[in-house]
Amino acid sequence: MKRAVCPGTFDPVTNGHLDIIERASAIFDEVVVSVALSPDKGSGPLFSIDERVSFIRSATAHLRNVTVRPFDSLLVDLARELEATVIVKGLRAVTDFEREFQMAQLNYRIDAGIETMFIVAIPEYMYLSSSAVKEIAGHAGNVQGLVPDEVNERLIERLRKGR
Ligand code: PNS
């Protein structure tokens, strides 16, 4: 029984994240998508933890071995608590590499029993990030097809209010 944890801020989840989650769910027996509270990231997340969790739950409802939960601890502690032996992350361009490499090294240093594995993004989503999506939507650009429809609608609503 191999359980993997797939962590992130997911503010909001993109179709790129969902592609990685779906591919991880085909490899592992169970995938626990873990949404970091991340109150200190930049000016704070656009969507609340409950909204971010709920977007992913809806978008992964068809994947029987995927569950979604919030967390506010060290990732390695969460993995231990869940008895997950693998941390799965998506890797896009080289620009992701340094930060991901650092996190993987530190997590390995804390607990060498938990491996980090990367799933490489498909070319279609190589350029896609939550921040780019927020920036485009913030300037009234169209992000349809880059995020689930529900997220697209909520982005328009949220950013319209903020303007
Ligand atoms: O969406 P992101 O920014 O790639 O996610 C980063 C995340 C949530 C995976 C990372 O910040 C994290 O693991 N946070 C939990 C706290 C922790 O364990 N920090 C040490 C990692 S070196």
mmCIF file of all heavy atoms in Angstrom, residues 2-51:
data_model
loop_
_atom_site.group_PDB
_atom_site.id
_atom_site.type_symbol
_atom_site.label_atom_id
_atom_site.label_comp_id
_atom_site.label_asym_id
_atom_site.label_seq_id
_atom_site.Cartn_x
_atom_site.Cartn_y
_atom_site.Cartn_z
ATOM 1 N N LYS A 2 0.912 1.972 -1.091
ATOM 2 C CA LYS A 2 1.771 3.168 -1.188
ATOM 3 C C LYS A 2 0.900 4.409 -1.146
ATOM 4 O O LYS A 2 0.061 4.622 -2.035
ATOM 5 C CB LYS A 2 2.547 3.149 -2.515
ATOM 6 C CG LYS A 2 3.806 2.328 -2.456
ATOM 7 C CD LYS A 2 4.971 3.134 -1.857
ATOM 8 C CE LYS A 2 6.147 2.231 -1.513
ATOM 9 N NZ LYS A 2 6.876 2.622 -0.321
ATOM 10 N N ARG A 3 1.116 5.210 -0.106
ATOM 11 C CA ARG A 3 0.360 6.455 0.012
ATOM 12 C C ARG A 3 1.300 7.627 -0.247
ATOM 13 O O ARG A 3 2.405 7.689 0.310
ATOM 14 C CB ARG A 3 -0.237 6.551 1.412
ATOM 15 C CG ARG A 3 -1.143 7.758 1.591
ATOM 16 C CD ARG A 3 -1.781 7.781 2.964
ATOM 17 N NE ARG A 3 -2.731 6.706 3.124
ATOM 18 C CZ ARG A 3 -2.720 5.843 4.147
ATOM 19 N NH1 ARG A 3 -1.810 5.926 5.089
ATOM 20 N NH2 ARG A 3 -3.620 4.885 4.226
ATOM 21 N N ALA A 4 0.834 8.561 -1.093
ATOM 22 C CA ALA A 4 1.648 9.743 -1.392
ATOM 23 C C ALA A 4 0.899 10.991 -0.957
ATOM 24 O O ALA A 4 -0.344 11.031 -0.975
ATOM 25 C CB ALA A 4 1.931 9.821 -2.890
ATOM 26 N N VAL A 5 1.680 11.986 -0.580
ATOM 27 C CA VAL A 5 1.087 13.272 -0.250
ATOM 28 C C VAL A 5 1.470 14.249 -1.357
ATOM 29 O O VAL A 5 2.591 14.250 -1.845
ATOM 30 C CB VAL A 5 1.522 13.718 1.176
ATOM 31 C CG1 VAL A 5 2.998 13.836 1.320
ATOM 32 C CG2 VAL A 5 0.874 15.000 1.583
ATOM 33 N N CYS A 6 0.490 15.009 -1.814
ATOM 34 C CA CYS A 6 0.728 15.954 -2.915
ATOM 35 C C CYS A 6 0.420 17.354 -2.380
ATOM 36 O O CYS A 6 -0.742 17.761 -2.315
ATOM 37 C CB CYS A 6 -0.197 15.554 -4.077
ATOM 38 S SG CYS A 6 0.074 16.500 -5.561
ATOM 39 N N PRO A 7 1.450 18.066 -1.908
ATOM 40 C CA PRO A 7 1.210 19.321 -1.192
ATOM 41 C C PRO A 7 1.273 20.556 -2.100
ATOM 42 O O PRO A 7 1.883 20.516 -3.176
ATOM 43 C CB PRO A 7 2.390 19.351 -0.225
ATOM 44 C CG PRO A 7 3.511 18.743 -1.023
ATOM 45 C CD PRO A 7 2.892 17.737 -1.953
ATOM 46 N N GLY A 8 0.678 21.626 -1.626
ATOM 47 C CA GLY A 8 0.786 22.895 -2.359
ATOM 48 C C GLY A 8 -0.083 23.943 -1.701
ATOM 49 O O GLY A 8 -0.824 23.659 -0.754
ATOM 50 N N THR A 9 0.022 25.146 -2.230
ATOM 51 C CA THR A 9 -0.823 26.232 -1.728
ATOM 52 C C THR A 9 -2.151 26.245 -2.502
ATOM 53 O O THR A 9 -3.205 26.579 -1.950
ATOM 54 C CB THR A 9 -0.082 27.586 -1.877
ATOM 55 O OG1 THR A 9 1.220 27.460 -1.285
ATOM 56 C CG2 THR A 9 -0.818 28.702 -1.197
ATOM 57 N N PHE A 10 -2.064 25.902 -3.770
ATOM 58 C CA PHE A 10 -3.257 25.772 -4.623
ATOM 59 C C PHE A 10 -4.170 26.998 -4.523
ATOM 60 O O PHE A 10 -5.366 26.870 -4.224
ATOM 61 C CB PHE A 10 -4.045 24.500 -4.265
ATOM 62 C CG PHE A 10 -3.250 23.225 -4.351
ATOM 63 C CD1 PHE A 10 -2.881 22.518 -3.199
ATOM 64 C CD2 PHE A 10 -2.866 22.713 -5.580
ATOM 65 C CE1 PHE A 10 -2.152 21.331 -3.275
ATOM 66 C CE2 PHE A 10 -2.132 21.517 -5.664
ATOM 67 C CZ PHE A 10 -1.790 20.838 -4.509
ATOM 68 N N ASP A 11 -3.621 28.164 -4.795
ATOM 69 C CA ASP A 11 -4.400 29.415 -4.647
ATOM 70 C C ASP A 11 -4.572 30.128 -5.986
ATOM 71 O O ASP A 11 -3.920 31.141 -6.211
ATOM 72 C CB ASP A 11 -3.704 30.334 -3.637
ATOM 73 C CG ASP A 11 -4.531 31.584 -3.370
ATOM 74 O OD1 ASP A 11 -5.759 31.463 -3.287
ATOM 75 O OD2 ASP A 11 -3.952 32.694 -3.268
ATOM 76 N N PRO A 12 -5.412 29.651 -6.872
ATOM 77 C CA PRO A 12 -6.266 28.468 -6.778
ATOM 78 C C PRO A 12 -5.640 27.303 -7.542
ATOM 79 O O PRO A 12 -4.637 27.486 -8.223
ATOM 80 C CB PRO A 12 -7.533 28.941 -7.504
ATOM 81 C CG PRO A 12 -6.998 29.815 -8.613
ATOM 82 C CD PRO A 12 -5.758 30.475 -8.069
ATOM 83 N N VAL A 13 -6.311 26.135 -7.434
ATOM 84 C CA VAL A 13 -5.853 24.966 -8.190
ATOM 85 C C VAL A 13 -5.984 25.272 -9.690
ATOM 86 O O VAL A 13 -6.925 25.959 -10.115
ATOM 87 C CB VAL A 13 -6.684 23.719 -7.793
ATOM 88 C CG1 VAL A 13 -8.134 23.803 -8.261
ATOM 89 C CG2 VAL A 13 -6.034 22.439 -8.300
ATOM 90 N N THR A 14 -5.007 24.805 -10.458
ATOM 91 C CA THR A 14 -5.060 24.993 -11.922
ATOM 92 C C THR A 14 -5.208 23.625 -12.592
ATOM 93 O O THR A 14 -5.029 22.587 -11.938
ATOM 94 C CB THR A 14 -3.762 25.635 -12.450
ATOM 95 O OG1 THR A 14 -2.702 24.681 -12.282
ATOM 96 C CG2 THR A 14 -3.425 26.934 -11.744
ATOM 97 N N ASN A 15 -5.473 23.650 -13.887
ATOM 98 C CA ASN A 15 -5.558 22.372 -14.609
ATOM 99 C C ASN A 15 -4.200 21.676 -14.647
ATOM 100 O O ASN A 15 -4.132 20.460 -14.812
ATOM 101 C CB ASN A 15 -6.103 22.593 -16.017
ATOM 102 C CG ASN A 15 -7.589 22.923 -15.972
ATOM 103 O OD1 ASN A 15 -8.242 22.739 -14.946
ATOM 104 N ND2 ASN A 15 -8.131 23.420 -17.072
ATOM 105 N N GLY A 16 -3.132 22.443 -14.482
ATOM 106 C CA GLY A 16 -1.784 21.855 -14.409
ATOM 107 C C GLY A 16 -1.644 21.033 -13.134
ATOM 108 O O GLY A 16 -1.157 19.897 -13.161
ATOM 109 N N HIS A 17 -2.088 21.599 -11.991
ATOM 110 C CA HIS A 17 -2.070 20.833 -10.732
ATOM 111 C C HIS A 17 -2.906 19.563 -10.890
ATOM 112 O O HIS A 17 -2.504 18.478 -10.459
ATOM 113 C CB HIS A 17 -2.723 21.635 -9.588
ATOM 114 C CG HIS A 17 -1.965 22.850 -9.144
ATOM 115 N ND1 HIS A 17 -2.561 24.086 -8.983
ATOM 116 C CD2 HIS A 17 -0.666 23.016 -8.776
ATOM 117 C CE1 HIS A 17 -1.672 24.951 -8.537
ATOM 118 N NE2 HIS A 17 -0.511 24.338 -8.408
ATOM 119 N N LEU A 18 -4.085 19.729 -11.486
ATOM 120 C CA LEU A 18 -5.009 18.585 -11.580
ATOM 121 C C LEU A 18 -4.428 17.471 -12.437
ATOM 122 O O LEU A 18 -4.640 16.289 -12.166
ATOM 123 C CB LEU A 18 -6.377 19.052 -12.105
ATOM 124 C CG LEU A 18 -7.120 19.966 -11.119
ATOM 125 C CD1 LEU A 18 -8.330 20.618 -11.784
ATOM 126 C CD2 LEU A 18 -7.564 19.187 -9.870
ATOM 127 N N ASP A 19 -3.675 17.861 -13.463
ATOM 128 C CA ASP A 19 -3.021 16.850 -14.311
ATOM 129 C C ASP A 19 -2.002 16.047 -13.484
ATOM 130 O O ASP A 19 -1.944 14.822 -13.575
ATOM 131 C CB ASP A 19 -2.336 17.555 -15.495
ATOM 132 C CG ASP A 19 -1.667 16.550 -16.422
ATOM 133 O OD1 ASP A 19 -2.370 15.643 -16.902
ATOM 134 O OD2 ASP A 19 -0.444 16.658 -16.645
ATOM 135 N N ILE A 20 -1.251 16.755 -12.642
ATOM 136 C CA ILE A 20 -0.259 16.069 -11.800
ATOM 137 C C ILE A 20 -0.967 15.147 -10.790
ATOM 138 O O ILE A 20 -0.565 13.999 -10.587
ATOM 139 C CB ILE A 20 0.621 17.107 -11.024
ATOM 140 C CG1 ILE A 20 1.362 18.050 -11.991
ATOM 141 C CG2 ILE A 20 1.574 16.411 -10.048
ATOM 142 C CD1 ILE A 20 2.412 17.423 -12.853
ATOM 143 N N ILE A 21 -2.042 15.645 -10.178
ATOM 144 C CA ILE A 21 -2.778 14.845 -9.181
ATOM 145 C C ILE A 21 -3.332 13.575 -9.839
ATOM 146 O O ILE A 21 -3.207 12.470 -9.307
ATOM 147 C CB ILE A 21 -3.923 15.683 -8.546
ATOM 148 C CG1 ILE A 21 -3.347 16.843 -7.724
ATOM 149 C CG2 ILE A 21 -4.845 14.795 -7.703
ATOM 150 C CD1 ILE A 21 -4.357 17.912 -7.312
ATOM 151 N N GLU A 22 -3.892 13.747 -11.027
ATOM 152 C CA GLU A 22 -4.480 12.593 -11.724
ATOM 153 C C GLU A 22 -3.400 11.571 -12.101
ATOM 154 O O GLU A 22 -3.592 10.366 -11.942
ATOM 155 C CB GLU A 22 -5.222 13.086 -12.981
ATOM 156 C CG GLU A 22 -5.938 11.984 -13.693
ATOM 157 C CD GLU A 22 -7.241 12.419 -14.374
ATOM 158 O OE1 GLU A 22 -7.578 13.624 -14.345
ATOM 159 O OE2 GLU A 22 -7.897 11.531 -14.937
ATOM 160 N N ARG A 23 -2.262 12.065 -12.560
ATOM 161 C CA ARG A 23 -1.174 11.141 -12.928
ATOM 162 C C ARG A 23 -0.606 10.456 -11.680
ATOM 163 O O ARG A 23 -0.279 9.265 -11.712
ATOM 164 C CB ARG A 23 -0.106 11.902 -13.722
ATOM 165 C CG ARG A 23 -0.605 12.228 -15.138
ATOM 166 C CD ARG A 23 0.171 13.358 -15.765
ATOM 167 N NE ARG A 23 1.540 13.015 -16.058
ATOM 168 C CZ ARG A 23 2.500 13.930 -16.302
ATOM 169 N NH1 ARG A 23 2.217 15.216 -16.278
ATOM 170 N NH2 ARG A 23 3.715 13.539 -16.572
ATOM 171 N N ALA A 24 -0.536 11.190 -10.563
ATOM 172 C CA ALA A 24 -0.067 10.574 -9.310
ATOM 173 C C ALA A 24 -1.058 9.504 -8.861
ATOM 174 O O ALA A 24 -0.662 8.444 -8.359
ATOM 175 C CB ALA A 24 0.096 11.642 -8.228
ATOM 176 N N SER A 25 -2.338 9.763 -9.067
ATOM 177 C CA SER A 25 -3.354 8.794 -8.609
ATOM 178 C C SER A 25 -3.293 7.495 -9.411
ATOM 179 O O SER A 25 -3.770 6.459 -8.959
ATOM 180 C CB SER A 25 -4.758 9.407 -8.662
ATOM 181 O OG SER A 25 -5.295 9.276 -9.949
ATOM 182 N N ALA A 26 -2.691 7.554 -10.603
ATOM 183 C CA ALA A 26 -2.533 6.333 -11.402
ATOM 184 C C ALA A 26 -1.302 5.534 -10.955
ATOM 185 O O ALA A 26 -1.152 4.368 -11.305
ATOM 186 C CB ALA A 26 -2.421 6.703 -12.877
ATOM 187 N N ILE A 27 -0.424 6.169 -10.189
ATOM 188 C CA ILE A 27 0.817 5.505 -9.766
ATOM 189 C C ILE A 27 0.702 4.951 -8.339
ATOM 190 O O ILE A 27 1.170 3.858 -8.053
ATOM 191 C CB ILE A 27 2.008 6.505 -9.829
ATOM 192 C CG1 ILE A 27 2.208 6.995 -11.266
ATOM 193 C CG2 ILE A 27 3.294 5.873 -9.290
ATOM 194 C CD1 ILE A 27 3.190 8.159 -11.374
ATOM 195 N N PHE A 28 0.061 5.753 -7.451
ATOM 196 C CA PHE A 28 0.002 5.373 -6.032
ATOM 197 C C PHE A 28 -1.369 4.801 -5.664
ATOM 198 O O PHE A 28 -2.364 5.080 -6.332
ATOM 199 C CB PHE A 28 0.328 6.595 -5.153
ATOM 200 C CG PHE A 28 1.722 7.106 -5.381
ATOM 201 C CD1 PHE A 28 1.965 8.196 -6.199
ATOM 202 C CD2 PHE A 28 2.808 6.455 -4.799
ATOM 203 C CE1 PHE A 28 3.255 8.638 -6.441
ATOM 204 C CE2 PHE A 28 4.104 6.895 -5.028
ATOM 205 C CZ PHE A 28 4.333 7.994 -5.860
ATOM 206 N N ASP A 29 -1.389 4.020 -4.568
ATOM 207 C CA ASP A 29 -2.667 3.468 -4.111
ATOM 208 C C ASP A 29 -3.574 4.575 -3.578
ATOM 209 O O ASP A 29 -4.780 4.554 -3.769
ATOM 210 C CB ASP A 29 -2.424 2.433 -2.998
ATOM 211 C CG ASP A 29 -1.607 1.265 -3.524
ATOM 212 O OD1 ASP A 29 -2.002 0.697 -4.549
ATOM 213 O OD2 ASP A 29 -0.564 0.941 -2.924
ATOM 214 N N GLU A 30 -2.939 5.527 -2.894
ATOM 215 C CA GLU A 30 -3.713 6.643 -2.340
ATOM 216 C C GLU A 30 -2.920 7.931 -2.483
ATOM 217 O O GLU A 30 -1.700 7.935 -2.243
ATOM 218 C CB GLU A 30 -3.937 6.418 -0.842
ATOM 219 C CG GLU A 30 -5.264 5.774 -0.528
ATOM 220 C CD GLU A 30 -5.451 5.647 0.986
ATOM 221 O OE1 GLU A 30 -5.164 6.616 1.725
ATOM 222 O OE2 GLU A 30 -5.847 4.555 1.405
ATOM 223 N N VAL A 31 -3.611 9.000 -2.825
ATOM 224 C CA VAL A 31 -2.963 10.313 -2.911
ATOM 225 C C VAL A 31 -3.740 11.273 -2.011
ATOM 226 O O VAL A 31 -4.963 11.408 -2.139
ATOM 227 C CB VAL A 31 -2.960 10.845 -4.365
ATOM 228 C CG1 VAL A 31 -2.395 12.263 -4.427
ATOM 229 C CG2 VAL A 31 -2.161 9.913 -5.274
ATOM 230 N N VAL A 32 -3.009 11.887 -1.090
ATOM 231 C CA VAL A 32 -3.650 12.867 -0.212
ATOM 232 C C VAL A 32 -3.171 14.255 -0.642
ATOM 233 O O VAL A 32 -2.012 14.627 -0.436
ATOM 234 C CB VAL A 32 -3.283 12.618 1.279
ATOM 235 C CG1 VAL A 32 -4.041 13.593 2.169
ATOM 236 C CG2 VAL A 32 -3.572 11.176 1.671
ATOM 237 N N VAL A 33 -4.066 14.989 -1.287
ATOM 238 C CA VAL A 33 -3.731 16.353 -1.700
ATOM 239 C C VAL A 33 -3.817 17.214 -0.451
ATOM 240 O O VAL A 33 -4.852 17.256 0.220
ATOM 241 C CB VAL A 33 -4.708 16.867 -2.786
ATOM 242 C CG1 VAL A 33 -4.338 18.281 -3.206
ATOM 243 C CG2 VAL A 33 -4.710 15.929 -3.987
ATOM 244 N N SER A 34 -2.702 17.865 -0.116
ATOM 245 C CA SER A 34 -2.633 18.589 1.151
ATOM 246 C C SER A 34 -2.444 20.076 0.880
ATOM 247 O O SER A 34 -1.461 20.496 0.273
ATOM 248 C CB SER A 34 -1.470 18.043 1.984
ATOM 249 O OG SER A 34 -1.668 16.649 2.126
ATOM 250 N N VAL A 35 -3.412 20.846 1.336
ATOM 251 C CA VAL A 35 -3.458 22.271 1.010
ATOM 252 C C VAL A 35 -2.899 23.071 2.186
ATOM 253 O O VAL A 35 -3.462 23.039 3.291
ATOM 254 C CB VAL A 35 -4.910 22.699 0.697
ATOM 255 C CG1 VAL A 35 -4.954 24.147 0.250
ATOM 256 C CG2 VAL A 35 -5.525 21.779 -0.359
ATOM 257 N N ALA A 36 -1.781 23.766 1.933
ATOM 258 C CA ALA A 36 -1.125 24.533 3.008
ATOM 259 C C ALA A 36 -1.915 25.800 3.300
ATOM 260 O O ALA A 36 -2.358 26.495 2.372
ATOM 261 C CB ALA A 36 0.292 24.879 2.588
ATOM 262 N N LEU A 37 -2.058 26.076 4.555
ATOM 263 C CA LEU A 37 -2.750 27.295 4.989
ATOM 264 C C LEU A 37 -2.055 28.530 4.397
ATOM 265 O O LEU A 37 -2.712 29.457 3.940
ATOM 266 C CB LEU A 37 -2.729 27.341 6.519
ATOM 267 C CG LEU A 37 -3.870 28.062 7.204
ATOM 268 C CD1 LEU A 37 -5.202 27.398 6.879
ATOM 269 C CD2 LEU A 37 -3.657 28.062 8.723
ATOM 270 N N SER A 38 -0.710 28.522 4.417
ATOM 271 C CA SER A 38 0.125 29.577 3.815
ATOM 272 C C SER A 38 -0.356 31.001 4.061
ATOM 273 O O SER A 38 -0.495 31.773 3.121
ATOM 274 C CB SER A 38 0.230 29.369 2.298
ATOM 275 O OG SER A 38 0.904 28.192 2.020
ATOM 276 N N PRO A 39 -0.589 31.389 5.313
ATOM 277 C CA PRO A 39 -1.082 32.745 5.542
ATOM 278 C C PRO A 39 -0.040 33.808 5.228
ATOM 279 O O PRO A 39 -0.387 34.967 4.997
ATOM 280 C CB PRO A 39 -1.438 32.753 7.028
ATOM 281 C CG PRO A 39 -0.623 31.661 7.627
ATOM 282 C CD PRO A 39 -0.346 30.665 6.555
ATOM 283 N N ASP A 40 1.249 33.413 5.203
ATOM 284 C CA ASP A 40 2.319 34.401 5.029
ATOM 285 C C ASP A 40 2.794 34.529 3.599
ATOM 286 O O ASP A 40 3.681 35.313 3.304
ATOM 287 C CB ASP A 40 3.527 34.025 5.901
ATOM 288 C CG ASP A 40 3.125 33.930 7.354
ATOM 289 O OD1 ASP A 40 2.207 34.666 7.746
ATOM 290 O OD2 ASP A 40 3.727 33.116 8.075
ATOM 291 N N LYS A 41 2.231 33.746 2.696
ATOM 292 C CA LYS A 41 2.742 33.772 1.327
ATOM 293 C C LYS A 41 2.305 35.056 0.625
ATOM 294 O O LYS A 41 1.112 35.323 0.487
ATOM 295 C CB LYS A 41 2.226 32.542 0.564
ATOM 296 C CG LYS A 41 3.161 32.146 -0.554
ATOM 297 C CD LYS A 41 2.699 30.899 -1.248
ATOM 298 C CE LYS A 41 3.646 30.587 -2.392
ATOM 299 N NZ LYS A 41 3.141 29.521 -3.242
ATOM 300 N N GLY A 42 3.253 35.874 0.211
ATOM 301 C CA GLY A 42 2.958 37.147 -0.458
ATOM 302 C C GLY A 42 2.034 37.981 0.408
ATOM 303 O O GLY A 42 2.285 38.160 1.598
ATOM 304 N N SER A 43 0.951 38.470 -0.191
ATOM 305 C CA SER A 43 0.019 39.279 0.595
ATOM 306 C C SER A 43 -1.101 38.402 1.149
ATOM 307 O O SER A 43 -2.174 38.872 1.480
ATOM 308 C CB SER A 43 -0.546 40.390 -0.283
ATOM 309 O OG SER A 43 -1.052 39.798 -1.457
ATOM 310 N N GLY A 44 -0.841 37.084 1.218
ATOM 311 C CA GLY A 44 -1.856 36.148 1.724
ATOM 312 C C GLY A 44 -2.637 35.579 0.564
ATOM 313 O O GLY A 44 -2.725 36.199 -0.486
ATOM 314 N N PRO A 45 -3.186 34.383 0.744
ATOM 315 C CA PRO A 45 -3.910 33.746 -0.359
ATOM 316 C C PRO A 45 -5.166 34.533 -0.761
ATOM 317 O O PRO A 45 -5.768 35.208 0.073
ATOM 318 C CB PRO A 45 -4.294 32.382 0.216
ATOM 319 C CG PRO A 45 -3.561 32.229 1.491
ATOM 320 C CD PRO A 45 -3.169 33.580 1.956
ATOM 321 N N LEU A 46 -5.529 34.436 -2.027
ATOM 322 C CA LEU A 46 -6.757 35.083 -2.512
ATOM 323 C C LEU A 46 -7.972 34.319 -2.001
ATOM 324 O O LEU A 46 -8.967 34.900 -1.608
ATOM 325 C CB LEU A 46 -6.740 35.089 -4.050
ATOM 326 C CG LEU A 46 -7.955 35.677 -4.758
ATOM 327 C CD1 LEU A 46 -8.117 37.169 -4.452
ATOM 328 C CD2 LEU A 46 -7.854 35.463 -6.269
ATOM 329 N N PHE A 47 -7.860 32.981 -2.012
ATOM 330 C CA PHE A 47 -8.981 32.144 -1.577
ATOM 331 C C PHE A 47 -8.698 31.555 -0.199
ATOM 332 O O PHE A 47 -7.551 31.219 0.126
ATOM 333 C CB PHE A 47 -9.215 31.014 -2.587
ATOM 334 C CG PHE A 47 -9.735 31.514 -3.915
ATOM 335 C CD1 PHE A 47 -8.893 31.599 -5.017
ATOM 336 C CD2 PHE A 47 -11.060 31.924 -4.062
ATOM 337 C CE1 PHE A 47 -9.359 32.075 -6.237
ATOM 338 C CE2 PHE A 47 -11.536 32.396 -5.280
ATOM 339 C CZ PHE A 47 -10.683 32.472 -6.369
ATOM 340 N N SER A 48 -9.759 31.423 0.592
ATOM 341 C CA SER A 48 -9.605 30.861 1.939
ATOM 342 C C SER A 48 -9.221 29.391 1.834
ATOM 343 O O SER A 48 -9.382 28.771 0.775
ATOM 344 C CB SER A 48 -10.923 30.989 2.711
ATOM 345 O OG SER A 48 -11.856 30.074 2.177
ATOM 346 N N ILE A 49 -8.762 28.838 2.930
ATOM 347 C CA ILE A 49 -8.364 27.428 2.939
ATOM 348 C C ILE A 49 -9.567 26.548 2.571
ATOM 349 O O ILE A 49 -9.435 25.592 1.805
ATOM 350 C CB ILE A 49 -7.710 27.042 4.296
ATOM 351 C CG1 ILE A 49 -7.157 25.626 4.252
ATOM 352 C CG2 ILE A 49 -8.656 27.211 5.461
ATOM 353 C CD1 ILE A 49 -5.940 25.446 3.434
ATOM 354 N N ASP A 50 -10.750 26.900 3.090
ATOM 355 C CA ASP A 50 -11.941 26.089 2.792
ATOM 356 C C ASP A 50 -12.286 26.137 1.302
ATOM 357 O O ASP A 50 -12.658 25.129 0.702
ATOM 358 C CB ASP A 50 -13.145 26.573 3.607
ATOM 359 C CG ASP A 50 -12.968 26.273 5.082
ATOM 360 O OD1 ASP A 50 -12.091 25.451 5.412
ATOM 361 O OD2 ASP A 50 -13.684 26.862 5.905
ATOM 362 N N GLU A 51 -12.147 27.325 0.705
ATOM 363 C CA GLU A 51 -12.440 27.443 -0.731
ATOM 364 C C GLU A 51 -11.440 26.627 -1.545
ATOM 365 O O GLU A 51 -11.812 25.900 -2.466
ATOM 366 C CB GLU A 51 -12.357 28.909 -1.169
ATOM 367 C CG GLU A 51 -13.496 29.766 -0.671
ATOM 368 C CD GLU A 51 -13.293 31.254 -0.974
ATOM 369 O OE1 GLU A 51 -12.202 31.803 -0.640
ATOM 370 O OE2 GLU A 51 -14.202 31.870 -1.525
#
